[in-house]
Amino acid sequence: MTADVGALDLKEAGTVLAAEAARFAAFGWMRGTSGNLSVVLSRDPLRLAVTASGHDKGELGPDDVVLVDGRGAAVRGGRPSAEAELHARVAALTGAGAVVHVHTVASVAMGRREPGGIVFRDLEMLKGVGQPAHGVEVTLPVVANSQDMTELGDRLAAARDPRMPAVVVAGHGLYVWGADPRQARHHTEVVEWLLELTLAEG
């Protein structure tokens, strides 16, 4: 939606995240109240707008967002997602301006099939995550799930590949990031396409 994420205020961020959530919900990637999105509002100190907990992601409005700090704790607004701490960790670790967490069937299925990581090669869609279409192998890491966000963040930090702006959390879903909400959305759509193709090929 905007490249200059630092210029957003909380309500503007809520409008952006509501639109992005509605798109993902329409794909069936945020069923029920699952999934969460965030956008970085400032770096020093780190502050993120995160979708509020317990809301249908296809029906969010501009106020359904919470301002959180670098530990994922609420600074202003209601109750953030339980995974807000992981969003903050990803933003700090990768320099991302936006983080997407969706619960897709393909990510869970492929995480079970390939617990050591999902390898992609010789696919034109790899260009969508900044990689060559041919001649290289790119691995999407898979990490074990945990309800402890600090532990899960440690696993993500240890496993992530800088060439792939995404990680599968086994039995849970997909975390993807980008410089801003638009790039994070594009990365999410590309990674999900790669997962769906690989799953279909068996």
Side-chain angles (χ1 to χ4, degrees):
M1 292 272 182
T2 177
D4 188 11
V5 295
L8 293 175
D9 65 22
L10 189 59
K11 189 149 190 166
E12 289 169 336
T15 299
V16 170
L17 294 181
E20 294 298 316
R23 182 185 181 94
F24 292 130
F27 292 157
W29 298 353
M30 302 182 90
R31 300 190 184 199
T33 62
S34 70
N36 31 75
L37 308 176
S38 66
V39 59
V40 172
L41 300 185
S42 72
R43 289 282 172 196
D44 188 16
L46 183 60
R47 295 287 185 267
L48 298 88
V50 182
T51 49
S53 179
H55 293 260
D56 186 319
K57 299 310 185 297
E59 300 177 350
L60 296 182
D63 296 321
D64 296 322
V65 67
V66 182
L67 182 68
V68 303
D69 63 18
R71 296 172 291 114
V75 173
R76 189 164 82 244
R79 184 165 62 98
S81 162
E83 293 156 340
E85 180 183 342
L86 190 57
H87 281 251
R89 180 77 177 270
V90 170
L93 181 69
T94 67
V99 181
V100 170
H101 173 47
V102 288
H103 293 199
T104 70
V105 172
S107 63
V108 174
M110 285 305 304
R112 287 179 175 174
R113 182 184 293 178
E114 302 289 347
I118 303 153
V119 178
F120 304 119
R121 66 173 71 84
D122 297 333
L123 291 166
E124 195 73 16
M125 283 290 273
L126 284 169
K127 291 180 179 178
V129 290
Q131 297 304 311
H134 300 282
V136 298
E137 290 187 350
V138 181
T139 300
L140 174 60
V142 178
V143 299
N145 195 16
S146 174
Q147 300 307 302
D148 182 326
M149 291 301 109
T150 300
E151 181 177 42
L152 187 54
D154 289 345
R155 292 173 183 171
L156 186 151
R160 82 177 186 97
D161 182 340
R163 299 178 303 164
M164 176 60 72
V167 169
V168 169
V169 179
H172 188 171
L174 184 64
Y175 276 87
V176 192
W177 50 89
D180 55 32
R182 188 170 186 266
Q183 187 183 62
R185 179 216 307 162
H186 290 169
H187 285 169
T188 303
E189 292 178 357
V190 168
V191 172
E192 176 63 13
W193 186 94
L194 292 167
L195 286 166
E196 289 179 13
L197 175 67
T198 307
L199 180 63
E201 289 181 333

